[in-house]
Amino acid sequence: MKNIWKKVEKSKTTYIALISIILVFIMPILFNLFHLGRTNRIIWLFFIINILFASFIGWFSRKYGLSFYNLVIFPVIFVISVFVKYGRYGYFLAGIYLVLSILIYFLFEKEE
């Protein structure tokens, strides 16, 4: 079991997936728990926080030389959550997150 955890601990892809799950599934629950309305959730979580995280994924993937497929993790997890509990607008947001990650990925040169 320790060997498995050490492999997971070294994987940056796992960190991207875990943070994505927290942002997509746990943060909306926290917004509801603190009685923040739907409008606040859409503005702060879906537009501001998630867009910043999508940009971070693009930069992070380029900086550490991660596979291009790491850019897809967050939008796919977001689409799954949208399919389960949110409206159709979420599909467009997932596309925006993906495009933004790709743009940031190609914007920054790999640091030597």
Side-chain angles (χ1 to χ4, degrees):
M1 189 70 168
K2 279 187 175 182
N3 292 335
I4 294 172
W5 179 249
K6 285 183 181 183
K7 287 180 183 179
V8 168
E9 201 173 47
K10 290 180 182 178
S11 172
K12 291 177 178 41
T13 301
T14 305
Y15 285 124
I16 291 173
L18 289 175
I19 293 171
S20 298
I21 289 170
I22 289 170
L23 283 177
V24 169
F25 291 109
I26 296 178
M27 289 299 287
I29 292 171
L30 291 176
F31 270 64
N32 287 336
L33 195 65
F34 290 112
H35 303 292
L36 298 171
R38 183 178 183 186
T39 306
N40 283 326
R41 183 184 70 225
I42 291 171
I43 292 171
W44 284 102
L45 187 58
F46 291 170
F47 282 106
I48 296 174
I49 295 172
N50 286 355
I51 285 178
L52 288 173
F53 183 64
S55 302
F56 171 76
I57 290 173
W59 172 81
F60 187 78
S61 296
R62 176 57 90 170
K63 179 176 180 182
Y64 290 104
L66 301 178
S67 169
F68 187 75
Y69 298 107
N70 285 296
L71 304 177
V72 178
I73 295 171
F74 178 59
V76 166
I77 292 173
F78 186 77
V79 164
I80 291 168
S81 78
V82 165
F83 182 75
V84 172
K85 59 172 151 173
Y86 298 117
R88 285 185 160 174
Y89 60 87
Y91 296 115
F92 298 111
L93 288 173
I96 291 170
Y97 301 152
L98 180 62
V99 168
L100 185 62
S101 293
I102 291 170
L103 287 173
I104 297 293
Y105 182 84
F106 286 117
L107 180 69
F108 287 96
E109 293 295 319
K110 186 174 179 181
E111 297 172 6
E112 304 283 332

